[in-house]
Amino acid sequence: MYKTILLPIDLSAPASWTKALPSALQLGGADAVLHVVTVVPDFGMSVVSGYFREGFEKGALKEVGAKLKDWVNANVPDHVEVHPHVMHGRIYDEILRAADKLKVDAIVLASHTPELADYLLGPNAARVVRHAKQSVFVVRGE
């Protein structure tokens, strides 16, 4: 059993958590702590940010935080100790950073069914698997 588990999710993609959440809960058992992380991607290039109003990112982070809390309340059983976290940046970098900062024992994440271009895993899941110091469990979706 793992005592502290990180579950990265995409709030706009139920496939990112439909199977991964039950797997994380099962891996952790009754006394595990679950950290649920969602990542708001950054703009990438600075020229892109010029198309958004000032303060857009701060407002987006606040809105995503509220949606994540709603998601936790709707999907995680009441008896589970759960901590929601909103990160901002490159998805795989933020997942790895959260795993280290929170000192989790395991990361449970979903990966879509691979297409030829992906070969085995999606790009974010593949990077997490390659670079994480923790055990990583990849759960395939439908």
Side-chain angles (χ1 to χ4, degrees), residues 12 24 31 33 41-42 46 52 55-56 59 70 77 80 82 88 103 107:
S12 65
D31 296 326
V33 175
D42 61 11
S46 59
F52 293 88
F56 173 80
D70 291 344
V80 175
V82 61
H88 180 237
K103 296 181 170 80
I107 302 169

Side-chain angles (χ1 to χ4, degrees), residues 123-137:
N124 289 311
R127 286 184 173 118
V128 170
V129 168
R130 275 196 309 268
H131 299 289
K133 298 170 190 156
Q134 302 79 5
S135 295
V136 179
F137 295 88

Side-chain angles (χ1 to χ4, degrees), residues 49-130:
S49 65
Y51 290 97
F52 293 88
R53 62 174 163 49
E54 190 170 328
F56 173 80
E57 284 180 302
K58 187 175 181 179
L61 290 169
K62 186 175 181 179
E63 183 178 330
V64 169
K67 288 181 180 179
L68 182 58
K69 285 180 184 176
D70 291 344
W71 181 90
V72 165
N73 290 333
N75 293 284
V76 179
D78 291 337
H79 70 275
V80 175
E81 181 180 342
V82 61
H83 303 277
H85 307 274
V86 176
M87 310 294 283
H88 180 237
R90 283 192 187 136
I91 294 169
Y92 59 89
D93 282 337
E94 295 305 317
I95 292 169
L96 294 168
R97 187 178 344 265
D100 290 343
K101 182 179 178 182
L102 298 168
K103 296 181 170 80
V104 300
D105 301 319
I107 302 169
V108 177
L109 56 88
S111 181
H112 56 79
T113 303
E115 297 176 17
L116 186 58
D118 297 325
Y119 205 67
L120 288 174
L121 294 172
N124 289 311
R127 286 184 173 118
V128 170
V129 168
R130 275 196 309 268

Side-chain angles (χ1 to χ4, degrees), residues 29-45:
D31 296 326
V33 175
L34 180 65
H35 292 277
V36 180
V37 171
T38 193
V39 180
V40 176
D42 61 11
F43 289 127
M45 299 186 310

